[in-house]
Amino acid sequence: MIQFITQNLAPIMFLGLIVFMLFGFPVAFSLGACGLFFGIVGIELGVLPESLMQALPLRIFGIMQNDTLLAIPFFTLMGLILERSGMAEDLLDTIGQLFGPVRGGLALAVIFVGALLAATTGVVAASVISMGLISLPIMLRYGYDRRLASGVIAASGTLAQIIPPSLVLIVLADQLGRSVGDMYKGAFIPGFMLTGMYAGYVILLAIFKPTWVPALPPEARSIREDNGKSGIPSLLVLTAISAGLAIWMGENYARIVAWSKGATEITPVATDETIVVSLCAGVMLAFVIAVVNKVSGLKLLSKMAERVTFVLIPPLLLIFLVLGTIFLGIATPTEGGAMGALGATIMAAARGRLSFSLLKQALNTTTKLACFVVFILIGSTFFSLVFQGVDGPRWVEHLLTSLPGGQLGFLIVVNILVFFLAFFLDFFELSFIVVPLIGPVAEKLGVDLIWFGVLLGVNMQTSFMHPPFGFALFYLRSVAPEKEYIDKITRKAIAPVTTMQIYWGAVPFVLIQIVMVGMIIAFPKIVSRDVEQKIDLDKVKIEMPDAPSYGPAQDPLAPPAAPGSAPGAGDDDEQKKMDELFGTKK
């Protein structure tokens, strides 16, 4: 029995962790307790040296000195300040009015605002709760299907997990040993593709199930001109002008950069830098036009165009401030998060929403989340140290590399494993427990870890949507009406939203996320197109074969010796030249 335990301590330790967690203990303490318990067992059995435990303090200090993890509290604080400053409410009201006349317009507005909030907050709870409080009563008021309304809100809130500045991407980059900036670049396109797939699903429902997604009635459209018109043509003209400048900037940005540097030769500029600068130029033009129109009173823009511009531009500028500086290489993700938190504070002050109680609540929640992450990381460090000591990574490697199908078989099995584990664990727990085990195996199989991290990020996003344990569903359940109530505007009785309606509403969006995982595997360039492949200099080996020694008479390439010169004189002359060239002769 003792011999069996000694030879199979790694799988027994992994099963022990599952047992600890099934008892309902917090994950951080389960990890730490499991690591310490099996560390003592390993030392008693003679498998582990006692000196291994001396590495624990150094590992904990290493966690405290990790600058990358500082981005988590910064982005969390930024998102909480924005959520409490009323930005989400203004966005949902304005975009809902804009898309309201179209069938499914409110659902499309929720998806659009969810993507925008994801790019500014990176916090799922803030997005889901904000949209649940603001948009769900409106969607119920005007007859939206309850399953669709619930699913759209929950799914749009989870976009914060894949669209930068996502917290899960920061943790995945740290665990996989890759740059957060590269992880953000890799996730940019998949995040907005997923947003487009959500919108496509709503559009299909508007075509085939129009009664599920009715348009807003005329009396509900409050932003109108004095003559009763919508003012949308003015917005379209402003959009066309801004888009024209952005396109021109994108086509000529390389020339502009060369001109600003006084260079005669035009060199290509990185695609992400071109996109960021071009979009920033177009957005700034729209903002300048709106400001000039409002100050001068020329009435060149309609009320809708002016309202949309002033509501959309501040969060877009904040996105450029955070992601733009990261993509341009001006700031690290930690510095970008700090600027984002400062920018969010300035925006809240400009709206007149900044108060001591707001800051106190935001800082309190940020501290709790940061402590939660650090405690899980400390617990996972205890576990991983002992697990490595008992050759756990080698056991996992043999287990996964022996799967049929090579890379593809590995990816399929890992994604199925993560998908089912996500029923019980959230993304932080998955990142700290599973990713350190499968990351080295993926690298050994030749899988690009940036691509692999984004793939896992999209998969882990489903952990928020899984019935019955998805956190986004819990957040929505906490704000959805549980009893029948009287609507304040229509004075009609509104039926409650049941838990099963929330669960069934999430299922189509979970399937869409699974399709997105398959697309990333089938078309890897979706992620890796603009991610630079970096060479790890620590792994570069230079090997030089031993040069054969030739004498002057044996070397076929040696010049003929001068008449009367002694054997080996040519060697002395060559040595003198080398000494003179490198200055080694004294």
Side-chain angles (χ1 to χ4, degrees), residues 193 408 411-412 415 451 455 514-527:
M193 282 183 64
L408 184 60
L411 292 171
I412 291 173
N415 278 282
W451 178 87
L455 177 68
I514 294 173
V515 170
M516 189 68 212
V517 170
M519 289 180 63
I520 292 176
I521 294 175
F523 306 102
K525 291 296 182 183
I526 292 175
V527 173

Side-chain angles (χ1 to χ4, degrees), residues 207-267:
I207 296 172
F208 297 106
K209 295 282 188 181
T211 56
W212 286 20
V213 285
L216 280 180
E219 61 270 15
R221 304 169 198 166
S222 58
I223 305 177
R224 287 184 171 274
E225 299 300 298
D226 295 336
N227 56 10
K229 293 184 179 180
S230 64
I232 292 180
S234 173
L235 177 61
L236 293 176
V237 171
L238 181 63
T239 304
I241 294 172
S242 302
L245 177 62
I247 293 170
W248 178 87
M249 179 68 75
E251 293 176 347
N252 297 277
Y253 182 61
R255 295 188 182 89
I256 295 173
V257 170
W259 172 79
S260 65
K261 294 180 179 179
T264 56
E265 183 179 355
I266 299 174
T267 56

